[in-house]
Amino acid sequence: RTHRGRKALALRSPDRLSKPNHGEPGSREFFSQAAVVPDMKIGVISDTHDNVAATEAAMDAFEDNGVTTVVHCGYFIAPPLVPFLDREGLEVHAVRGNNDGEREGLVDAFDALDGGTLHGRFTELTFDGRSFAIIPGEQKPVLEALAATGADG
């Protein structure tokens, strides 16, 4: 897949290959993607919903494809999933989704990661001179306002 002239690698768990990137409401579908920014690869994952096998599969694929930074866009659900994001040499950034409970537990779980940061409900990250807004997708007006800022891609 390409996006604005850059290669991107779409990844899904093996048991979800025939399904779209988004699940039906209440499903355990997750989404992950690796985007190429000049001189680095960024893996993007969300909606893992305590699915350890899917999270491990995505993290394995990120490692296999030379990803150096992972961004989790929310919906872990609970802290026990977070350690499965921990991989040597991978920096992990994350925001919380509206279903992510146990906030203090999530903070503690990310603090225990080697190179992990939980940014709250929203963050702006800059990689290789490019800025990215990271926010869970349940707030459509906020997403539309961010998209309308005219940022270059």
Side-chain angles (χ1 to χ4, degrees), residues 58-101:
M59 297 303 288
D60 289 345
F62 290 153
E63 280 187 315
D64 292 346
N65 286 282
V67 167
T68 57
T69 302
V70 173
V71 176
H72 195 300
C73 297
Y75 308 102
F76 315 95
I77 305 302
L81 178 83
V82 175
F84 296 96
L85 299 171
D86 199 13
R87 301 291 176 100
E88 186 175 335
L90 285 180
E91 181 180 348
V92 179
H93 294 272
V95 295
R96 287 185 296 103
N98 65 342
N99 291 324
D100 292 328

Side-chain angles (χ1 to χ4, degrees), residues 28 30 45 48-60 76 78 80-85 87:
R28 299 274 186 204
F30 79 102
I45 187 169
T48 48
H49 293 268
D50 286 338
N51 188 332
V52 171
T55 301
E56 287 184 317
M59 297 303 288
D60 289 345
F76 315 95
L81 178 83
V82 175
F84 296 96
L85 299 171
R87 301 291 176 100

Side-chain angles (χ1 to χ4, degrees), residues 1-3 5-9 34-37:
R1 213 188 267 188
T2 61
H3 179 68
R6 286 181 229 100
K7 291 182 182 178
L9 172 67
V36 179
V37 174

Side-chain angles (χ1 to χ4, degrees), residues 120-141:
R121 291 278 293 144
F122 170 83
T123 193
E124 181 179 341
L125 301 172
T126 302
F127 302 114
D128 201 27
R130 295 180 183 258
S131 294
F132 299 85
I134 311 299
I135 185 169
E138 79 270 357
Q139 299 173 3
K140 187 174 180 182

